[in-house]
Each structure stands twice: as C-alpha cells, then as structure tokens.
Amino acid sequence: MSYQVTIEPIGTTIEVEEDQTILDAALRQGVWLPFACGHGTCGTCKVQVTDGFYDLGDASPFALMDIEREENKVLACCCKPESDMVIEADVDEDEDFLGYLIEDYQAKVIDITDLSPTIKGIRLEIDRTMQFQAGQYINLQLPGIEGTRAFSIANAPSEEGIIELHIRQVQGGAATTYVHEQLSVGDELQLTGPYGQFFVRKSDKQDVIFIAGGSGLSSPQSMIHDLLDEGDTRTIYLFQGARDVAELYNRELFENLVKKHPNFRYIPALNAPKAEDAWTGFTGFVHEAVANYFENKCAGHKAYLCGPPPMIDAAISTLMQSRLFERDIHTERFLSAADGAGESRSALFRHI
C-alpha cells in the first residue's frame, strides 16, 4: 500500500510507501525538503500538515513541542502517512543544486589507509555509478551497528563507481570503532546517497575559501578536485587545521596541486606542533590562519567550512569580523552522536 503526499506551495505529489517516512520518499523522488539530522532531533525538517492522517514517529519532544503537535506540525524525517496527505514545506530552491535522486547501493571495500593516527581512508567500489555533487555525503550501514552513519564523500564526482571516505575514530563510537578495528578489504556494505546541500555555488564567480579541520577535509577535498578538474579559474584557498604534523593528512596531495594549478593556494595550520615536527608553517588554530592570511579582509569571497562544531563557530566569527556576510558562508558540521545534545546555535548565523 502507498499514499499520495502533496507538497505545497510547489504542488508536487510524491508516493510514500507504507512504513516509509515522508522525507525518505521525497528525497528518492527528487524533491529536496530541508533536513539535517535525519532522525527527529533537530527540527529542521518540520512541516505543516493541512490534510490527512499520519504517525508522528520518534520525533523528539524538544524538536517537536506539544503545542506544535496540536497544530498538526510534523517532522518529515519521522512522519509516516496513514492516508493521503497535504503538507506545507519551506522548499529551498538553489540554482546550483542538481537534486540527484537518493538511491541504495551495494559497496565493496577495496582499500583501507591510515591517513593519520586517528583517521582512516576508506575506498569503496559501488555496484553502479552514483551521481553526486562534490561536498555531499552518504549514509553507511555497518554490520551489527544499529542505524546508519553519515560520512562525507572525499573523491570527485568524475571518479565513477568509487566512494572515498575519511573516518575519524570517535572515542566510544560503535561505528567508527568498527571501521578502525574490524573493517577489512573485501567486506561488503550497504550505503544510501547522495545527501546534503553542502556544495560549491558555481554560478557565483567569487574566489573560494575552504576551511577544514580534522576529517572535515573530506568534503573540501572533493570540492577542490571537482573545481580543478573542470578548469575553474577562480582563486581557490584551502586552510587545513590539525594538531600536529601526524594529523595533517594529505598534505603532499595539496602541495602537488599547488604546483599544478596556479590558482590554488594551500595554507596548513598546526595548533600544537611537536618539537620533532620542525614546523615552519603557521602555528595556531585554522581560523587564526585565515585572519592572518587575509589581514581580516575576506570580503569578495565565498567560504565553505567543514569540521567539528568549535572550529565552525570560530571560523564563522572570524569571517564575519573580516567583512564576509552570512549569504557567502556555507557550513558542514561533523557531529558525533554525543555532539547533538549540547549543540548551540549562534544568533548571528541562522544556518548553523
């Protein structure tokens, strides 16, 4: 059995299977509803039901308050129709968003690399080509692990049939511990994608600043390769933050790109280099490297930030103090399961 759900104000009708969420059905049919966590805790995918019956699912009482439930508001990532429905959603249309359909894939692990003491590089061969925009992510299912985990794609879309992931081990994290301690070459996994609206706005020809911390380098790596592969001529800056040289992974990759592409700049920053590192580059946090390099004058750029929440918050403050406005700052936060509960939102930046 399936139900028809009409999404206003765009007037699009999708078919939702029994026991399928509205969000999952929409994404698989090319309708991109706003969402973030995907499991009922953030409230980003909140929509208004104007007609029909439904099961609210496991929506958090913090993300969907009692008064909102009484007003027939639901979270699209949890809500399952029990009849045909009509909903009102804030569909954000972006001219640069290609809206590739969400699909399921079978994957085989073909390579595992120690990128740093805490980050593994995983290369997966999938059963068919996935169309995705550089910067997007997939949801990965791991054996014996409940639910799925989101990981950003690190390779360029031009590398067909391959998905590269950078996975940092999170202390106490079941999924990342499995990847670091049990996953082997030849293992077969299931994944779904592509997800996310973190991608380069190619129609905007301003120079581009990428700021990455930890395994947050994965999305910028994909985006930079994509731009350079296409022969993009704007100036592209990558600021990579790490603790010490051992954690500054793929440094040689980007140094080689600098040699090949005169429009690419690479500025690594270490906040706690070891004596044996003999580090001569910038010492400090990555957002401080940005302020130092641009002398607090970042106007006229697009910025893409990817990494842990503290890095994102500090970088946003630096960019805004350097005359870069909200419309030109795009973020992708790397959150573990423990991060969501205490997450705060800046009053200055509504998209965090």
Side-chain angles (χ1 to χ4, degrees):
M1 178 180 292
S2 63
Y3 302 104
Q4 302 294 309
V5 176
T6 300
I7 303 170
E8 299 293 357
I10 60 175
T12 299
T13 298
I14 61 172
E15 187 170 325
V16 186
E17 299 294 330
E18 188 173 14
D19 205 38
Q20 184 182 28
T21 67
I22 293 173
L23 179 63
D24 183 63
L27 296 178
R28 290 176 184 272
Q29 293 169 62
V31 180
W32 199 268
L33 299 178
F35 78 99
C37 73
H39 47 76
T41 59
C42 74
T44 304
C45 64
K46 194 175 299 176
V47 299
Q48 176 72 55
V49 177
T50 60
D51 189 36
F53 299 95
Y54 52 86
D55 177 358
L56 278 172
D58 296 325
S60 161
F62 300 101
L64 189 67
M65 296 183 292
D66 289 341
I67 189 170
E68 293 176 312
R69 296 170 190 242
E70 293 171 2
E71 294 171 347
N72 293 322
K73 288 184 172 64
V74 301
L75 301 185
C77 70
C78 297
C79 180
K80 299 176 180 179
E82 294 180 336
S83 73
D84 290 347
M85 293 175 62
V86 178
I87 65 172
E88 293 179 352
D90 182 16
V91 180
D92 186 16
E93 296 185 3
D94 189 309
E95 63 177 309
D96 291 298
F97 180 56
L98 300 180
Y100 293 125
L101 299 183
I102 307 298
E103 297 184 37
D104 300 318
Y105 297 84
Q106 294 290 328
K108 182 178 181 180
V109 180
I110 59 172
D111 188 55
I112 301 176
T113 304
D114 290 325
L115 296 176
S116 82
T118 61
I119 299 171
K120 294 275 191 184
I122 311 297
R123 286 179 65 82
L124 304 171
E125 182 179 60
I126 51 179
D127 56 355
R128 62 193 187 283
T129 297
M130 176 193 291
Q131 288 186 299
F132 67 91
Q133 286 183 263
Q136 291 190 296
Y137 67 91
I138 55 95
N139 279 338
L140 186 65
Q141 175 68 64
L142 294 163
I145 307 297
E146 184 178 358
T148 60
R149 299 296 188 275
F151 298 107
S152 290
I153 304 170
N155 58 296
S158 59
E159 190 174 10
E160 297 183 354
I162 297 294
I163 297 295
E164 178 183 338
L165 308 174
H166 300 168
I167 301 179
R168 178 178 66 89
Q169 184 165 18
V170 177
Q171 187 174 7
T176 61
T177 297
Y178 181 91
V179 168
H180 277 252
E181 297 182 1
Q182 298 183 53
L183 191 68
S184 300
V185 170
D187 287 356
E188 295 188 354
L189 305 171
Q190 294 179 323
L191 61 86
T192 305
Y195 294 97
Q197 290 192 294
F198 187 63
F199 54 86
V200 174
R201 274 61 181 179
K202 294 182 179 179
S203 64
D204 189 318
K205 297 305 180 182
Q206 297 181 96
D207 291 342
V208 183
I209 300 171
F210 291 101
I211 306 175
S215 59
L217 179 66
S218 51
S219 289
Q221 177 174 304
S222 176
M223 298 157 95
I224 290 166
H225 274 305
D226 187 44
L227 288 171
L228 296 177
D229 286 349
E230 293 184 349
D232 199 290
T233 58
R234 77 190 85 183
T235 304
I236 301 166
Y237 303 87
L238 171 61
F239 292 84
Q240 181 188 4
R243 180 174 179 80
D244 51 37
V245 166
E247 291 292 347
L248 190 68
Y249 75 93
N250 283 359
R251 177 185 177 187
E252 185 176 349
L253 166 67
F254 295 110
E255 290 176 341
N256 287 334
L257 288 179
V258 169
K259 296 174 183 177
K260 295 178 182 178
H261 301 277
N263 61 320
F264 179 60
R265 312 281 188 271
Y266 175 54
I267 305 94
L270 301 183
N271 64 67
K274 298 176 181 176
E276 58 267 30
D277 289 339
W279 180 246
T280 58
F282 184 87
T283 300
F285 291 103
V286 68
H287 66 279
E288 296 170 334
V290 175
N292 178 75
Y293 187 94
F294 286 104
E295 298 180 337
N296 294 109
K297 299 173 184 176
C298 292
H301 295 81
K302 275 280 187 183
Y304 299 88
L305 287 51
C306 193
M311 186 219 82
I312 296 288
D313 291 343
I316 288 172
S317 296
T318 293
L319 291 170
M320 285 188 160
Q321 291 167 10
S322 301
R323 305 301 183 188
L324 201 61
F325 296 102
E326 176 185 342
R327 64 177 178 271
D328 291 321
I329 303 174
H330 305 274
T331 69
E332 182 81 307
R333 288 175 168 240
F334 273 31
L335 295 168
S336 70
D339 290 321
E343 183 182 0
S344 62
R345 296 182 177 232
S346 168
L348 295 175
F349 196 78
R350 61 186 172 84
H351 294 311
I352 298 177

